[in-house]
Amino acid sequence: MKSKIKAVFFLITIIVFSCNRKADVLSENKKIKNSVLNKNSDLFFFEYKKNIGGEIDSIEEMISLYEKVLYGNVYLENYLKDKVFVSMKEIREYYLNNKFDFIRKNDQLLVLHFTTENVDEAKKVGLALSKKDGDVKLKTMKEYDIIYSKLKKGDLPKTLDNIVFSSFSKNRVVGPIKTDFGYHVVEVVDYLKKGDYLGLDEVYDQISQNIYNYKRASLLGSLIDSLSVEYKND
C-alpha cells in the first residue's frame, strides 16, 4: 500500500513539474516574441526616419500624437452629433434657389426591370405588366421584388439596351429578352428628357448632404476659433 502511495505521489510530482516547466516555456516564448516585435517596430521606425523623415523622435511620441488625434475626433463627433440638423424646409429652399444646378444631363427612362433564369417566370411577369392593371402590377412587383429604376443608354446589356432605347414611348413592355445574364422583362414607365429639371426626390440626398456639410464646416470653424482663444497660452 505504501509503495502505491509513493508511486502516485511521484507521478503527481512529475506532472506538476512538467506543467510548471511548460508554463515557464510559454512565458519565456511570449517574452521572446514581444521582444522581437518591439525590436522590429524600432527597426521599422528607424527606417521611416531615415527614408521618409519627420519631426517625431520616438515611438512613444508617435503613440501620443495618435492618441491626441483619436481623442480629439471622439470629442468633435460628440460635439457635432446633436448640433447639425437639416430640415425639409431647408432642402426645398435650397432646391428652388439652385434649380439650375439640377438639370438632367442624359436622356433617361423610368422603368420596371425584372431578370430571371426561368423563361416561364419571365413570360408570367411580362404578361402581368402588359395588362396595364394597377392592382395586378402592384401584386407582381411585390411578389417578384421589382422596383422602379432610372436607366440611361448603355446601362443594359447591348441587345436589350438597343431594343429598350429604340423608342421613348411610355407604358410599353419589352421582353422576355434573353441575354448572358438571363431573361429580361422591362416596362418603360416614363421618359425623362435631357435638359429637364431633376425632381426633388432625385436630388434630395445630395442637397441634404450639401447643407449638412456646410453647417458642419461652419460649426467646426466657430469651435476652432473658440478653442484657440481658450487655449492660446497652453
Side-chain angles (χ1 to χ4, degrees), residues 19-125:
C19 290
N20 289 338
R21 178 59 181 163
K22 187 175 181 180
D24 290 341
V25 170
L26 289 174
S27 178
E28 191 63 29
N29 286 342
K30 188 175 181 180
K31 288 179 182 178
I32 293 171
K33 185 177 179 180
N34 288 338
S35 175
V36 170
L37 288 174
N38 290 335
K39 185 176 180 181
N40 287 345
S41 296
D42 286 342
L43 292 174
F44 294 148
F45 175 68
F46 294 147
E47 282 299 294
Y48 163 81
K49 285 192 66 178
K50 176 182 174 184
N51 296 296
I52 300 176
E55 300 299 322
I56 298 170
D57 293 322
S58 68
I59 293 175
E60 289 75 17
E61 197 171 337
M62 288 181 70
I63 294 172
S64 175
L65 179 61
Y66 171 76
E67 287 179 341
K68 286 180 182 178
V69 173
L70 180 64
Y71 290 128
N73 282 336
V74 169
Y75 165 75
L76 180 60
E77 291 307 316
N78 275 283
Y79 175 82
L80 297 174
K81 182 174 60 176
D82 300 320
K83 293 180 174 62
V84 183
F85 174 76
V86 180
S87 69
M88 191 63 212
K89 181 182 177 182
E90 290 174 311
I91 292 173
R92 288 197 192 98
E93 288 179 352
Y94 187 104
Y95 176 71
L96 293 173
N97 293 333
N98 299 275
K99 207 166 181 184
F100 288 106
D101 294 337
F102 306 119
I103 295 177
R104 198 176 308 282
K105 295 180 174 59
N106 305 97
D107 286 324
Q108 290 181 303
L109 296 177
L110 178 66
V111 304
L112 292 173
H113 182 198
F114 175 70
T115 309
T116 179
E117 295 291 336
N118 188 319
V119 64
D120 292 329
E121 197 173 49
K123 288 178 180 178
K124 181 181 177 182
V125 170

